[in-house]
Amino acid sequence: MRLRHIEVFHAVMQTGTISGAAQLLNISQPAATKVLQHCELQLGLKLFERIRGKLHPTPEAHRLFGEVDKLQRDLQSVRRLAANLKSNPAEAVRLASTPTLSITLIPEALARWRHRFEKVHCTLATFHTAGLVNSLLVGDTDLAFSLYDPCHPGINSEAIIRGNMTVIAPADTWSKELHGQPLKLCGLPKNLIGIDLDDHLVSRLLDACEDEGTVFESSTMVQTYLQAKTLVELGAGAAVVDPFTAAIADRSKTACRPVFPAVGVDLYLLSRKATPLSRSAHAFVDAVRQTANDHIARASAQAQSIRG
């Protein structure tokens, strides 16, 4: 099948009519009909039956469509990548991060970076990790940040800092002398707010609990660490969260303690393989690293000041 055959066949399968396909592709109806006929002739297959004036795909067309649809998506990605390579200057910085990081860490890092790079164009998008990978591969994003390593063959993944999972609870949960002190997993509060079980950090925490012979008991389930933090601040329970969420919790309403044994949390820099970062992008990575260190240190310092 030629490229034009693929486009017309795909459009007819999507719209169900020759006229709809022609409109979608911005070509005339006779031209679409001619391309489809040539496609069937070249393949030696009947792809559509006309019944009462309507086109009905044959079984062969349905089987073919699955592969053609994948190819069409790949072609769209290639076109987007080519457009991005043409239209985006090297010194523009296009960032993306997961939802949690886009609120807890990245804004402060962006403000820090902006003091040095006042005129460099910058955009920030938010995706879950799978979306970050796709955005990098098609060239929509230059660098991305996640708490999860996607282990994708087309993506460079570098752990740039490590923190630890932290318990946040209403301020009166423990005596002030215990604030900031490690908390054994067997001593987790009973009114825990749990996070979606598909989260990889949750899986790591549950594995640690199992190794310690304890059970993670949760009476409330939410989908994000930020939702859990808000509920803790409102006194609805305690939660085990990533260190960056813990760092922005309201210390007038919460107390935090790292879990023991430590459950590590890595902050990953993601970029497209064989695509070097610009000078300003490297500077942004440095700003993220510095800000992440500050967040972790801030949480520790706040706990110490409360104990004092």
Side-chain angles (χ1 to χ4, degrees):
M1 295 178 74
R2 296 178 181 177
L3 178 58
R4 203 54 170 167
H5 293 164
I6 290 171
E7 290 177 331
V8 171
F9 170 70
H10 189 268
V12 173
M13 290 292 289
Q14 281 187 310
T15 63
T17 65
I18 290 288
S19 60
Q23 185 175 5
L24 185 64
L25 297 173
N26 197 28
I27 60 176
S28 68
Q29 185 171 333
T33 300
K34 185 176 180 180
V35 170
L36 188 60
Q37 290 173 343
H38 189 269
C39 176
E40 290 180 322
L41 182 63
Q42 187 181 63
L43 290 174
L45 294 172
K46 192 70 174 174
L47 297 176
F48 297 93
E49 297 285 353
R50 186 174 292 276
I51 303 174
R52 298 187 187 91
K54 293 184 179 180
L55 289 180
H56 294 268
T58 64
E60 292 80 6
H62 280 295
R63 293 184 62 182
L64 192 62
F65 181 71
E67 295 301 316
V68 167
D69 188 50
K70 289 190 292 184
L71 181 57
Q72 184 73 2
R73 290 198 300 269
D74 289 342
L75 287 171
Q76 290 172 352
S77 294
V78 169
R79 288 170 179 148
R80 288 176 63 192
L81 177 56
N84 280 319
L85 291 173
K86 178 181 179 181
S87 62
N88 288 287
E91 276 300 294
V93 176
R94 295 166 301 157
L95 313 167
S97 74
T98 55
T100 293
L101 293 174
S102 71
I103 294 176
T104 61
L105 179 66
I106 300 302
E108 190 174 333
L110 180 54
R112 184 192 297 248
W113 172 84
R114 182 54 82 188
H115 287 305
R116 287 184 56 199
F117 295 88
E118 296 180 356
K119 297 182 179 180
V120 175
H121 183 69
C122 178
T123 59
L124 172 60
T126 301
F127 305 103
H128 292 292
T129 302
L132 296 179
V133 169
N134 182 65
S135 186
L136 287 164
L137 291 176
V138 301
D140 287 345
T141 297
D142 300 314
L143 67 163
F145 299 90
S146 175
L147 299 180
Y148 176 69
D149 182 355
C151 299
H152 189 284
I155 298 296
N156 283 322
S157 178
E158 177 188 355
I160 60 175
I161 194 170
R162 166 164 280 210
N164 294 303
M165 295 293 281
T166 300
V167 185
I168 56 173
D172 59 357
T173 301
W174 307 291
S175 64
K176 289 185 178 181
E177 291 75 18
L178 293 176
H179 290 191
Q181 295 296 311
L183 176 66
K184 289 185 177 181
L185 291 171
C186 62
L188 288 174
K190 300 302 180 185
N191 58 339
L192 285 172
I193 299 163
I195 312 295
D196 191 328
L197 292 177
D198 287 338
D199 184 271
H200 79 288
L201 294 179
V202 172
S203 298
R204 195 176 296 174
L205 175 65
L206 294 179
D207 289 343
C209 286
E210 185 176 347
D211 291 342
E212 292 296 301
T214 189
V215 177
F216 185 97
E217 298 179 356
S218 174
S219 55
T220 304
M221 293 292 293
V222 297
Q223 290 195 330
T224 71
Y225 291 105
L226 293 169
Q227 289 173 326
K229 176 191 75 72
T230 300
L231 286 173
V232 174
E233 291 171 340
L234 293 171
V240 184
V241 300
D242 67 274
F244 308 111
T245 299
I248 67 167
D250 186 340
R251 285 298 180 270
S252 69
K253 300 176 181 178
T254 64
C256 69
R257 299 176 65 180
V259 298
F260 180 82
V263 178
V265 180
D266 291 307
L267 173 62
Y268 290 97
L269 163 65
L270 309 179
S271 60
R272 191 167 180 263
K273 282 189 175 177
T275 305
L277 297 180
S278 66
R279 178 180 65 96
S280 49
H282 276 295
F284 191 88
V285 175
D286 291 338
V288 169
R289 186 181 286 110
Q290 293 166 12
T291 304
N293 272 316
D294 288 350
H295 274 216
I296 293 170
R298 186 187 307 157
S300 176
Q302 286 171 330
Q304 290 173 3
S305 67
I306 292 173
R307 292 204 308 273

